[in-house]
Amino acid sequence: MTMFLKQLSFLLLAIVGVVTATTTCHDETFVPDAVLRITAENKTQSCLPSKSVVLVNGTSPGPELRLLEGRTYWIRVYNDMPDQNLTMHWHGLSQAVAPFSDGSPAASQWPIPPLHFFDYEVSPPVGRAGTYFYHSHVGFQAVSASGPLIVEDLVNPYPCDEEKIVFIQDVFTNNDTTIEQGLVSPLNWTWSGESSMILVNGEGGGTANGTFCNASLSTIDVEPGKTYRLRFIGATALTFSSLAIEGHESLQVVAADGSYTKPLNTSFLQLGSGQRYDVLLTTLAYPTKSQYYMQLESRERPTLTRGYAVLNYGPKPSFISPPVTPPLTLSNTSTTFLDYALTPLSFSDISDFPTADQVTRRVTIKVHQHLLSGLTKLIWLEDNYSWTPEVPAEPYLVSLYKNDGIEFPSMDRALANGGIDNKTGAFPAQIGEVVEIVLQNTGADSGGVDIHPWHAHGAAYYDIGSGNGTYDAAANEAKLKGTTPVKRDTTMLYRYTSGSVGNGTDAGWRAWRLRITEPGVWMVHCHILQHMLMGMQTVWVMGNETEVLGKVPKPEVEGYLAYGGNVNGNETHWPEVVHFNDLWAENQ
């Protein structure tokens, strides 16, 4: 039985009986596989003045974590901040077996209180080796509180001489607290400002809105005539990047969002917040100079931010300045970038792709920016519903376990309302369904339109393409003919004009197709941090009440149901946790 089928069989045990669980004390004898300590410290980034920055083990990005597929790991996360909550999300990895370890405070987990720690249970299944990252899911912290997470293969289908991580972030003039307060303020809504610089592996210089920043660049050390696997990680808050490497026009994409693909050549990459691409690069056999610039530029924003890193063939310089004149001319946004072109490498991913006649339901989510009446506050709506830091008041899964006012979402109400239960604000789905989710961009109250990298927790989906205007299922099926889409977890909802469109006018779509197999409560949201804070998030409840809440009975999860519950440790007590993956293994 494959790992996937074993997982599914365990999750569905709740249908026929109650799983018995016990809690385990993680005392001084327990040794976690990795430890992340989160602090807020004054730090200088790029050319910006020193400000408070949320760091992981004292750095941003945080340390690289390497896990092996098919193993269970415990990662201890300390919230060493005295005045901020914290979670950690394992972006792209399904946490279906350990639902309280997904790190999404709106959906599944109370945040870690100040000066407490939480032990996250992470178990990458066989078949999901690839490039991921971890980041906080509270407020604006993920702009800096993040780091690479690599799931290693049992057998690597693309051997190379060496691997390099290209971790892309952006920075802003104001600190996290000021930005968050401005975006959620009901009376004095304030935009965060545009990105002040694009960073690669924590360093970066270039230009922002025409202002030159002479900060040292990150170097990626290579040798002539070798093949490197470059793991590009889009950990930006806002920036949608176009990038290319001077003198190296052949980039061979071999994975997207943790899914291996058949090789596909491209001369550039587009990378939105939350996206990852693995690229094979063969270096020059006879380089004519020691350093070649990697150039990154923001797209789809009112101002241009241009950053750089360096592919370094020579001795490592102590300081490399950005060029005054850009060495490359990067293309404008391609709204067809890799769509209908990438093909899964895995036969199981090809054979598992649901055909159109297997689709049981289509859910169209209309994305719209709204100006609250009588206020200056802008919010984002999805089917006229907005999930903000105040809504819900507690994690949705916690509310369902506690049965304290938020009822289990009704499929009947959802079917009558295009997919959303308009009483609970959640999107229910049934195990066994094959659902198409169509993200439909629409004109804002002001007439503008934006782009959005949409990310799904819980399970990867088959990305079936994008286009202008309104989604046409028959026309898109014709474009899909002869192709097999790749499983993704973050894809771009483009706009097709930079001008004004009519209020509510359909202005572009992105479509997914997925089998509903993972019972749980999962976030599906735009990965731009500003948009998340403004409400561009949805909550999906997959499975019925028995399937979702019957995995582990309530007495054993009581510690997860209260803010500061005994699943959190601190200086005075050790945490009491459930070993969800051990419980699953015992029921095979």
Side-chain angles (χ1 to χ4, degrees):
M1 183 183 289
T2 66
M3 176 69 69
F4 166 76
L5 291 175
K6 287 182 179 180
Q7 258 189 350
L8 184 58
S9 66
F10 162 68
L11 295 174
L12 296 182
L13 278 174
I15 300 174
V16 296
V18 174
V19 177
T20 301
T22 57
T23 59
T24 301
C25 180
H26 281 187
D27 58 19
E28 66 276 359
T29 65
F30 175 80
V31 180
D33 297 285
V35 174
L36 303 178
R37 302 202 77 118
I38 314 303
T39 56
E41 304 174 29
N42 287 332
K43 181 179 175 63
T44 299
Q45 295 175 291
S46 189
C47 292
L48 298 182
S50 178
K51 64 175 183 178
S52 179
V53 177
V54 180
L55 304 176
V56 185
N57 291 8
T59 64
S60 178
E64 174 187 322
L65 297 180
R66 282 200 170 251
L67 314 180
L68 184 66
E69 61 179 349
R71 279 191 52 191
T72 296
Y73 296 83
W74 287 92
I75 302 173
R76 177 162 292 179
V77 177
Y78 285 89
N79 181 4
D80 290 334
M81 298 181 290
D83 55 359
Q84 297 188 55
N85 288 324
L86 172 76
T87 67
M88 200 59 72
H89 171 57
W90 318 99
H91 183 103
L93 293 180
S94 173
Q95 290 293 83
V97 174
F100 295 103
S101 283
D102 186 55
S104 51
S108 62
Q109 179 195 3
W110 280 111
I112 309 168
L115 305 180
H116 286 69
F117 65 87
F118 184 86
D119 289 342
Y120 283 92
E121 187 177 9
V122 181
S123 183
V126 172
R128 292 306 298 167
T131 301
Y132 303 89
F133 69 114
Y134 59 86
H135 63 80
S136 171
H137 225 296
V138 170
F140 207 70
Q141 293 173 358
V143 69
S144 59
S146 61
L149 189 159
I150 308 303
V151 178
E152 297 183 312
D153 306 83
L154 295 175
V155 179
N156 185 354
Y158 287 111
C160 62
D161 293 304
E162 198 173 342
E163 294 184 4
K164 300 288 182 179
I165 289 175
V166 185
F167 198 85
I168 302 170
Q169 298 167 287
D170 47 11
V171 292
F172 297 81
T173 301
N174 291 322
N175 62 34
D176 299 355
T177 301
T178 301
I179 290 174
E180 181 177 357
Q181 289 175 347
L183 292 170
V184 302
S185 172
L187 299 175
N188 190 27
W189 183 89
T190 306
W191 176 239
S192 64
E194 299 301 311
S195 59
S196 297
M197 189 45 57
I198 302 171
L199 307 181
V200 173
N201 297 336
E203 298 181 280
T207 57
N209 199 23
T211 301
F212 186 74
C213 165
N214 187 27
S216 185
L217 305 181
S218 172
T219 57
I220 300 167
D221 296 327
V222 297
E223 296 179 20
K226 289 191 173 183
T227 299
Y228 291 84
R229 178 175 178 171
L230 303 182
R231 296 179 182 265
F232 289 89
I233 300 174
T236 54
L238 174 66
T239 301
F240 173 49
S241 297
S242 178
L243 69 90
I245 304 174
E246 178 190 14
H248 299 71
E249 290 76 23
S250 181
L251 305 176
Q252 192 174 72
V253 175
V254 295
D257 294 352
S259 292
Y260 277 117
T261 69
K262 293 180 180 177
L264 183 67
N265 288 325
T266 179
S267 61
F268 73 104
L269 288 179
Q270 288 183 172
L271 203 68
S273 175
Q275 293 187 302
R276 292 94 58 215
Y277 290 107
D278 289 26
V279 168
L280 293 184
L281 173 73
T282 299
T283 53
L284 303 175
Y286 302 101
T288 58
K289 56 182 181 177
S290 295
Q291 285 92 34
Y292 293 81
Y293 286 108
M294 177 187 296
Q295 185 171 316
L296 306 94
E297 294 179 355
S298 64
R299 291 291 181 262
E300 306 297 324
R301 300 304 310 164
T303 63
L304 174 66
T305 304
R306 180 183 289 123
Y308 297 93
V310 167
L311 205 64
N312 180 48
Y313 281 86
K316 192 177 184 72
S318 59
F319 189 101
I320 299 183
S321 294
V324 175
T325 301
L328 298 172
T329 299
L330 299 183
S331 64
N332 293 325
T333 299
S334 169
T335 56
T336 59
F337 182 68
L338 302 185
D339 284 353
Y340 310 99
L342 289 176
T343 302
L345 182 65
S346 164
F347 174 77
S348 62
D349 282 351
I350 294 173
S351 61
D352 187 54
F353 173 58
T355 58
D357 59 358
Q358 293 176 299
V359 173
T360 57
R361 186 161 56 104
R362 181 176 300 118
V363 177
T364 299
I365 302 176
K366 293 230 174 206
V367 178
H368 184 79
Q369 189 187 78
H370 175 58
L371 176 63
L372 287 175
S373 178
L375 301 174
T376 59
K377 182 177 181 180
L378 291 171
I379 63 171
W380 286 99
L381 299 174
E382 296 74 52
D383 286 356
N384 296 315
Y385 200 90
S386 185
W387 286 81
T388 66
E390 295 80 28
V391 178
E394 61 185 355
Y396 201 90
L397 179 62
V398 168
S399 293
L400 295 181
Y401 261 108
K402 291 165 66 175
N403 192 24
D404 62 356
I406 296 182
E407 64 178 85
F408 204 88
S410 162
M411 181 60 75
D412 289 340
R413 287 196 297 264
L415 292 174
N417 287 281
I420 188 172
D421 175 1
N422 58 354
K423 183 175 181 180
T424 65
F427 289 80
Q430 296 176 330
I431 301 300
E433 281 192 281
V434 175
V435 177
E436 277 189 2
I437 298 176
V438 179
L439 302 163
Q440 183 70 62
N441 223 347
T442 68
D445 287 357
S446 64
V449 64
D450 210 339
I451 66 165
H452 310 285
W454 273 81
H455 170 58
H457 296 217
Y461 51 77
Y462 286 95
D463 183 82
I464 61 172
S466 66
N468 196 3
T470 305
Y471 179 66
D472 183 326
N476 194 54
E477 192 60 29
K479 292 180 71 173
L480 284 171
K481 188 174 182 180
T483 72
T484 301
V486 172
K487 281 186 174 180
R488 302 289 299 271
D489 58 63
T490 312
T491 46
M492 294 300 304
L493 175 59
Y494 295 108
R495 62 177 179 174
Y496 291 80
T497 176
S498 58
S500 180
V501 299
N503 181 5
T505 301
D506 287 349
W509 54 267
R510 168 68 63 180
W512 305 342
R513 192 176 290 169
L514 67 157
R515 298 183 188 275
I516 307 299
T517 61
E518 309 284 20
V521 178
W522 310 116
M523 298 293 296
V524 176
H525 62 88
C526 175
H527 210 268
I528 290 175
L529 301 187
Q530 290 90 331
H531 293 177
M532 290 171 61
L533 286 166
M534 294 164 62
M536 195 179 290
Q537 307 182 90
T538 65
V539 170
W540 285 70
V541 180
M542 298 183 179
N544 60 36
E545 191 165 359
T546 301
E547 292 159 349
V548 173
L549 304 182
K551 294 181 186 179
V552 180
K554 184 177 176 181
E556 283 75 20
V557 299
E558 286 288 355
Y560 295 90
L561 304 184
Y563 174 72
N566 66 5
V567 294
N568 298 280
N570 64 15
E571 288 186 347
T572 66
H573 66 271
W574 298 105
E576 294 278 346
V577 307
V578 175
H579 284 214
F580 287 96
N581 279 279
D582 289 351
L583 179 62
W584 162 74
E586 291 170 3
N587 285 274
Q588 299 315 296

